[in-house]
Amino acid sequence: MKSFHLAELEAERAANDGAYLQFLRERNMSVGLYALDRGSQDPQKPHGQDEVYFVVSGRAALTVGDETTSVARGSVVYVPAGVPHRFHHISEDLRVMVVFSPPEG
């Protein structure tokens, strides 16, 4: 078993000065914490893996392909591999758990 605590992951991500911290990588998936502060820009490009986003905190809009939805704490969104997507109109600091399958990178 592997167990993680959000506060510790957030501290590690912040200490490494990055928006993304991959904290779990297994054969069929990887999991990370993605952080975008209020008013920031999301520089993402399409990924070669399917993704699931789970919004831990914050508020924003998310556009996936031609569809846009509002996301906030508790939102879960699936993004198919290769589809352009980005968070925007980030009105509260956003913290998102990201699951990639197969593993990212």
Side-chain angles (χ1 to χ4, degrees), residues 2-6 8-10 12-13 16 20-26 29-34 54 56 96-100 104:
K2 295 178 183 176
S3 176
F4 305 93
H5 295 276
L6 186 58
E8 293 170 0
L9 295 172
E10 176 62 13
E12 183 179 347
R13 184 206 57 78
N16 290 315
Y20 183 73
L21 171 70
Q22 179 177 282
F23 61 88
L24 178 65
R25 183 178 182 87
E26 297 294 333
M29 61 176 248
S30 61
V31 184
L33 179 64
Y34 189 42
F54 171 71
V56 175
V96 180
M97 186 135 343
V98 185
V99 178
F100 286 99
E104 181 191 29

Side-chain angles (χ1 to χ4, degrees), residues 7-70:
E8 293 170 0
L9 295 172
E10 176 62 13
E12 183 179 347
R13 184 206 57 78
N16 290 315
D17 293 325
Y20 183 73
L21 171 70
Q22 179 177 282
F23 61 88
L24 178 65
R25 183 178 182 87
E26 297 294 333
R27 188 178 51 147
N28 294 314
M29 61 176 248
S30 61
V31 184
L33 179 64
Y34 189 42
L36 294 166
D37 290 336
R38 180 180 175 203
S40 66
Q41 299 294 316
D42 183 1
Q44 289 193 79
K45 304 226 186 289
H47 304 284
Q49 305 84 1
D50 288 340
E51 294 176 78
V52 173
Y53 288 121
F54 171 71
V55 179
V56 175
S57 63
R59 291 186 177 282
L62 173 61
T63 298
V64 178
D66 295 331
E67 297 179 84
T68 299
T69 190
S70 295

